[in-house]
Amino acid sequence: MGNCQCFEGFGIPKKESFKVCICGGATSIGQQLALLMATNTMVKELSVYDLEGGMVPAEGVATDLSHLEFPCRVKAYSLPAQARPVKDLPAACLEGCSLVLVTAGVPRKPGQSRKDLLQVNAGIAKLVVEACAKRCPEAIVGLIVNPVNSVVPAMARLYEKKGLDPRRIIGVTTLDVVRANKFVFEATGAPVDSINVPVIGGHAGKSVLPLFSQEKACADLSLELRKSLDVRVQDAGAEIVRAKCGKGSATLSLGYAGYLLGSAVLNGLAGNRTTECAFVKSNVTELPYFASPVTFGPRGVDRVHQLPRLDNYEKERLKEAKSILQAEIKMGLDYAESTDLAI
């Protein structure tokens, strides 16, 4: 194989090009994500999968992307809403994929509980995840499906019940890092490409905990300002919804964040170990799932980093975040005990 070699001393095939699938690739988020992944020179083939009947068909997105001056081959796949991808999606969509990014599900409606939202969106995610379990069980599956704090544990547990690696399922929380970095830049004027704020915990509200104490650009910021930045990161999604007058949510920034996480995974698979924050099965705390810096390597998740020394404010916030996470993780695990992947 002309584009493979082995890591010295490990015998692990080193790849320089990969097949990627975007599930939900014709959605507002999926199109941005597909555009950026198509420009990644490590992506040799991109599958764009979505349901029929959307505002834009998957075929249209794939054709549009196929005109970009990059070596990536783009192919479209679509199914009617009532179809089951595990048996109806052509095998060629997922077979050979190293990375599957799933942007799917419905937004939370006013008054809707997280449990009700989970029942809907976990069901949607499960359709894709069971197809991945059948067609590309070694692929990293990055979920951009709310509520991430519950959907990821649910899907990872379903993988585990089938004897598959639960760390193949990861929650994409990179947007929290992107936001924290940008807000620190605005507050300090430090070079934005030098800022790297780790964001731990979960991916909703007060479960999100940016560790500004770990970024040297924040050293001179007052505690009150750091507290306000913390709240802004937590509420940043609502900031976008208000600016869009309720007619949309984060799409462009979320597509970009998904691209960063996807690129980190591919870099790792190619032998260039790369670290990004992600929500994964973890022993960093007493909780079974947690977002923290994760290093991706040739086998996928290579290392889930332990927490650094926190300041007093962050220690109190961590207690709050863990309390919220504990209930939301349990909700996902309870869902997983009520069903199985149909493979």
Side-chain angles (χ1 to χ4, degrees):
M1 298 177 65
N3 67 343
C4 290
Q5 53 185 309
C6 288
F7 296 113
E8 184 177 357
F10 291 93
I12 303 170
K14 180 178 179 179
K15 294 183 66 176
E16 296 172 353
S17 58
F18 302 91
K19 180 177 177 180
V20 176
C21 180
I22 310 294
C23 296
T27 63
S28 297
I29 299 167
Q31 289 188 55
Q32 317 304 326
L33 183 53
L35 168 63
L36 292 168
M37 292 308 300
T39 67
N40 186 316
T41 55
M42 288 186 291
V43 179
K44 66 176 180 181
E45 183 175 338
L46 182 68
S47 295
V48 177
Y49 163 61
D50 214 322
L51 298 178
E52 296 172 359
M55 291 288 290
V56 178
E59 182 66 38
V61 176
T63 301
D64 199 352
L65 294 176
S66 72
H67 291 186
L68 300 180
E69 51 187 357
F70 290 87
C72 176
R73 300 191 305 275
V74 188
K75 299 180 181 179
Y77 300 88
S78 59
L79 289 177
Q82 67 273 18
R84 292 190 67 86
V86 71
K87 64 183 182 66
D88 299 321
L89 187 63
C93 178
L94 291 170
E95 284 185 348
C97 281
S98 299
L99 172 66
V100 180
L101 295 168
V102 184
T103 169
V106 299
R108 188 177 180 184
K109 299 175 182 177
Q112 185 180 35
S113 70
R114 288 194 175 275
K115 185 174 182 180
D116 289 341
L117 179 64
L118 172 65
Q119 289 297 319
V120 175
N121 283 352
I124 293 170
K126 178 174 175 281
L127 292 173
V128 174
V129 167
E130 65 187 4
C132 293
K134 180 179 180 180
R135 301 295 184 188
C136 54
E138 294 301 311
I140 295 295
V141 181
L143 296 179
I144 309 174
V145 185
N146 285 323
V148 167
N149 294 351
S150 301
V151 172
V152 170
M155 298 303 112
R157 177 60 184 143
L158 289 175
Y159 249 45
E160 199 168 30
K161 287 168 68 176
K162 289 295 182 180
L164 300 174
D165 183 358
R167 281 192 174 174
R168 296 288 166 185
I169 306 292
I170 63 175
V172 179
T173 62
T174 331
L175 182 54
D176 298 322
V177 177
V178 168
R179 287 166 167 164
N181 291 345
K182 183 60 178 287
F183 300 162
V184 168
F185 162 74
E186 292 174 344
T188 66
V192 70
D193 57 358
S194 71
I195 298 169
N196 185 21
V197 179
V199 181
I200 65 170
H203 187 55
K206 291 184 180 297
S207 74
V208 178
L209 175 52
L211 300 181
F212 295 114
S213 67
Q214 302 303 303
E215 171 49 55
K216 61 182 181 181
C218 298
D220 294 328
L221 296 182
S222 68
L223 177 59
E224 288 308 309
L225 180 51
R226 286 192 285 117
K227 285 182 178 179
S228 70
L229 292 177
D230 178 19
V231 172
R232 190 181 177 197
V233 173
Q234 296 170 36
D235 296 340
E239 185 178 315
I240 294 174
V241 171
R242 288 193 298 271
K244 291 185 176 182
C245 301
K247 297 178 181 178
S249 57
T251 54
L252 303 176
S253 55
L254 186 48
Y256 169 72
Y259 163 75
L260 290 182
L261 190 281
S263 296
V265 171
L266 296 184
N267 280 331
L269 293 175
N272 304 309
R273 285 177 170 79
T274 304
T275 301
E276 283 285 355
C277 290
F279 187 64
V280 298
K281 187 173 176 63
S282 169
N283 59 8
V284 166
T285 71
E286 66 274 19
L287 299 176
Y289 295 85
F290 200 77
S292 65
V294 174
T295 296
F296 297 96
R299 292 189 176 94
V301 173
D302 187 69
R303 179 187 174 196
V304 179
H305 294 253
Q306 298 297 310
L307 299 186
R309 184 184 298 273
L310 309 184
D311 65 24
N312 290 333
Y313 170 72
E314 291 166 347
K315 288 177 182 177
E316 290 304 310
R317 278 279 291 113
L318 179 59
K319 293 177 185 177
E320 180 181 36
K322 288 196 293 187
S323 176
I324 294 167
L325 267 175
Q326 185 173 26
E328 295 185 354
I329 291 169
K330 182 179 184 301
M331 193 160 55
L333 294 177
D334 287 347
Y335 172 89
E337 293 310 311
S338 69
T339 188
D340 287 291
L341 300 179
I343 59 172

